[in-house]
Amino acid sequence: MADAPLPFYAADFTKPDGRALTLYGLRPIEVRGDVPSPAGDPPVPRPTMRWHPLRGEWVMYAAHRLGRTFLPPPEYNPLAPTTPEHPTELPQGNYDLAVFDNRFPSLTLDAPPPPHPAHPSERAGTGKCEVVVFSQDPVGRLADLSEAQTALLLAVWADRTARLAATGKIRSVLAFENRGVEVGVTLHHPHGQIYAYDHIPPVQARMLAGAQAHLEEQGRPWLADFVAAEREAGSRILRDEGEALSVVPPFARYTYETWVLPTRPVGQLSDLTGPERLAFARVLKDALTRLDALFGVRMPYLLTVHQAPVGGEAHPEFPLHIELYPYLRAPGRMKYLAGTEQGAGEFANDKFPEAAAAELRGLEVP
């Protein structure tokens, strides 16, 4: 079928230290040698959570993460294929992407209850943390993936979401990428992470509530009305591929904030058809390329993938989309979260979205 999701290959392994590894590819997976683990046993995680009664959110505590890898020397890249001299997380072989259990997780599916709770709301930090390695190229970018490889990444995010939902313990899955030391990256190899929660976090809960209210009031999904309005305005769209588009949203909080959306309202990446996934991949690749071309440097950013909650009733009204938060507001000038952002949760932006979109749209990109 032309509209069927694009096929991919996956192979599951267990590392010597017991953690799970899945390799993904556009062609059959080939592994040369043994599946490795870095030298030394991983810490025994005992994450806990405490409820913040005034903010209405959980706070994660994972003391074992203090010892996690931090800007290792160039000769030791734990995300590169392994060598005898430097055992890493990944094997030698032919594959495109890899996903493995985080060695220093903030949440685990088998987190034990706190033996001696120090706070009335303290409970086990139940969830899952995974690392997603985008490429075997240690100096590449997510934007350097081919269109097919970017579509594969979308399929991998969808596959991980389905697997995590199948555990019966997960309600929300967030895939994300932090890029650049400016945003706290400790490994330069192109990679992202997945956090799976046993509850719906505040941001996703507010998105769901807003989408439900819009559907009740207007009788249509929010995403459908948003796409129609942006197409009519025209001034904020960066690229429109028909089945997906990118836009500097009219309510952008960061100067060059960019959203990538399907144009058909769906709640999960797994709901996309094959053509929709390819269009989504083209638009995402284009958006990332524009951000790097803007100031001629690798733009530090946070990328977050927002999908509907899992593990309960379906929420097709939730708007699937990717948000890109670029951390440079001008050449060499960072966007710091200061008083109003941190203290009140309300952002101050230096530029109107229409002007930012015009700059991004006017760039010459491949």
Side-chain angles (χ1 to χ4, degrees):
M1 292 179 58
D3 287 347
L6 301 173
F8 62 89
Y9 296 89
D12 296 320
F13 303 90
T14 300
K15 290 171 159 293
D17 60 18
R19 290 178 297 134
L21 165 71
T22 305
L23 302 179
Y24 293 89
L26 297 169
R27 295 166 296 280
I29 307 298
E30 296 180 9
V31 171
R32 296 189 295 272
D34 296 330
V35 171
S37 290
D41 294 328
V44 178
R46 300 182 183 276
T48 63
M49 305 181 77
R50 294 181 184 177
W51 181 250
H52 191 310
L54 296 183
R55 293 180 62 96
E57 61 193 31
W58 289 101
V59 181
M60 294 175 280
Y61 297 88
H64 62 277
R65 284 176 54 80
L66 284 172
R68 65 187 184 273
T69 306
F70 182 80
L71 296 176
E75 65 272 14
Y76 176 58
N77 175 3
L79 301 184
T82 194
T83 64
E85 299 79 16
H86 298 292
T88 69
E89 294 282 10
L90 301 182
Q92 295 279 344
N94 296 322
Y95 54 89
D96 291 290
L97 285 83
V99 178
F100 59 86
D101 290 345
N102 196 319
R103 195 161 179 254
F104 302 93
S106 298
L107 300 166
T108 63
L109 289 174
D110 55 357
H116 306 291
H119 187 273
S121 69
E122 190 165 358
R123 68 176 180 87
T126 302
K128 191 92 186 293
C129 295
E130 299 180 333
V131 177
V132 183
V133 182
F134 299 148
S135 167
Q136 293 191 37
D137 180 1
V139 297
R141 308 170 299 168
L142 176 51
D144 292 328
L145 299 185
S146 67
E147 178 184 313
Q149 289 170 326
T150 307
L152 173 62
L153 175 59
L154 298 176
V156 168
W157 281 334
D159 184 56
R160 302 318 299 180
T161 300
R163 293 188 188 214
L164 290 162
T167 66
K169 296 182 177 183
I170 299 302
R171 291 301 319 281
S172 185
V173 178
L174 179 72
F176 61 93
E177 180 197 8
N178 297 317
R179 194 182 75 168
V181 294
E182 297 89 344
V183 296
V185 166
T186 58
L187 292 171
H188 294 300
H189 193 116
H191 73 287
Q193 299 183 60
I194 293 174
Y195 269 47
Y197 309 90
D198 68 350
H199 58 282
I200 303 176
V203 170
Q204 286 68 33
R206 289 196 295 270
M207 287 182 181
L208 178 59
Q212 289 173 331
H214 184 95
L215 183 62
E216 292 172 5
E217 294 168 5
Q218 304 298 327
R220 299 177 303 276
W222 175 85
L223 193 145
D225 282 355
F226 178 74
V227 168
E230 289 307 301
R231 279 176 163 166
E232 182 177 0
S235 59
R236 292 176 291 269
I237 289 179
L238 305 182
R239 178 164 178 169
D240 190 339
E241 282 282 328
E243 292 167 306
L245 59 79
S246 57
V247 60
V248 178
F251 39 77
R253 300 179 301 168
Y254 289 81
T255 306
Y256 297 97
E257 181 175 337
T258 301
W259 286 27
V260 178
L261 313 96
T263 55
R264 180 174 65 91
V266 295
Q268 297 280 350
L269 285 166
S270 57
D271 296 329
L272 297 175
T273 65
E276 287 173 334
R277 188 175 291 167
L278 283 172
F280 203 99
R282 284 193 295 271
V283 174
L284 175 58
K285 180 177 171 66
D286 176 81
L288 293 168
T289 303
R290 288 180 189 277
L291 290 178
D292 280 359
L294 182 62
F295 302 133
V297 298
R298 290 197 176 196
M299 174 70 79
Y301 63 71
L302 170 61
L303 176 157
T304 52
V305 183
H306 296 276
Q307 301 185 82
V310 300
E313 69 174 288
H315 290 288
E317 72 276 17
F318 189 98
L320 165 68
H321 67 285
I322 290 178
E323 299 182 11
L324 282 160
Y325 313 137
Y327 275 74
L328 291 181
R329 55 188 175 86
R333 295 186 179 182
M334 290 282 293
K335 166 62 177 176
Y336 293 104
L337 301 190
T340 184
E341 289 93 354
Q342 293 278 33
E346 298 194 358
F347 277 61
N349 197 336
D350 299 334
K351 184 171 293 192
F352 281 105
E354 295 78 13
E359 289 181 54
L360 290 168
R361 193 169 49 245
L363 296 168
E364 293 290 335
V365 296

